[in-house]
Amino acid sequence: HVQLVESGGGVVQPGRSLRLSCAASGFTFSSYAMHWVRQAPGKGLEWVAVIWFDGNNKYYTDSVKGRFTISRDSSKNTMYLQMNSLRAGDTAVYYCARDPHITAAGGLFDYWGQGTRVTVSS
Amino acid sequence: EIVLTQSPATVSLSPGERATLSCRASQSVSSYLAWYQQKPGQAPRLLIFDASNRATGIPVRFSGSGSGTDFTLTISSLEPEDFAVYYCQQRSNWPPTFGQGTRLEIK
């Protein structure tokens, strides 16, 4: 069965960096686009970034452009989110999610991880 | 970006009743609308995709309808496990966007 497991969250000071990981299993990771979606405390869902199946296309929400970098390593069945210059507004639970469309990203999220919490605070 | 507005913000119903949740888009999203369910402390779960298609394993009491700018999620007869927050999401235009959620609570 499909499983996504995030890790790497924690408490970090403003301006510092953090790298999140998403380990995938139960499907052919290299065939699917993958996303990061976040949820601030008590708030709704916000799409953050997507990476195509082959890593050649990456897109970000405006608020993280230039600060966050999405990547993947298909040899490890793992996706990453490198977060630099973190701000208080980045505080959230970060979920990785699979896009069910083969190769290209259709902007749908059919399987989600359990999330990893990121707190940006001094 | 496309803004999705869900109504009501909160709805209180009893088990066995019918629930009707609405989602309105700021511009047409064709049929590229999905619904997710989220329970406290859990990740969202995909219920409906492309307006009216149930995701794998979703009970038949969940149904979706609509196209263009107006969409509805209907739960025909509420079960105790259905009380949760529901989000709509569009994938017609990038970036994908979510509604603010409707909380379905037990009356």
Side-chain angles (χ1 to χ4, degrees), chain A residues 39 45 95 106-109 112-113, chain B residues 36 38 43-44 87 89 91 98:
Chain A
Q39 187 170 35
L45 301 165
Y95 296 100
L108 187 64
F109 318 107
W112 300 62
Chain B
Y36 300 83
Q38 187 178 33
Y87 294 94
Q89 177 247 327
R91 66 182 189 93
F98 293 87

Side-chain angles (χ1 to χ4, degrees), chain A residues 45-60:
Chain A
L45 301 165
E46 179 187 26
W47 173 81
V48 174
V50 62
I51 185 167
W52 253 239
F53 76 106
D54 57 2
N56 285 341
N57 290 288
K58 306 172 186 180
Y59 300 98
Y60 303 89

Side-chain angles (χ1 to χ4, degrees), chain B residues 18-35:
Chain B
R18 182 184 187 91
T20 302
L21 283 59
S22 295
C23 177
R24 175 165 289 179
S26 59
Q27 64 188 76
S28 176
V29 299
S30 185
S31 294
Y32 297 119
L33 189 104
W35 292 93

Side-chain angles (χ1 to χ4, degrees), chain A residues 26-42:
Chain A
F27 65 102
T28 305
F29 179 72
S30 59
S31 294
Y32 291 84
M34 297 291 296
H35 300 263
W36 287 99
V37 178
R38 68 184 179 183
Q39 187 170 35

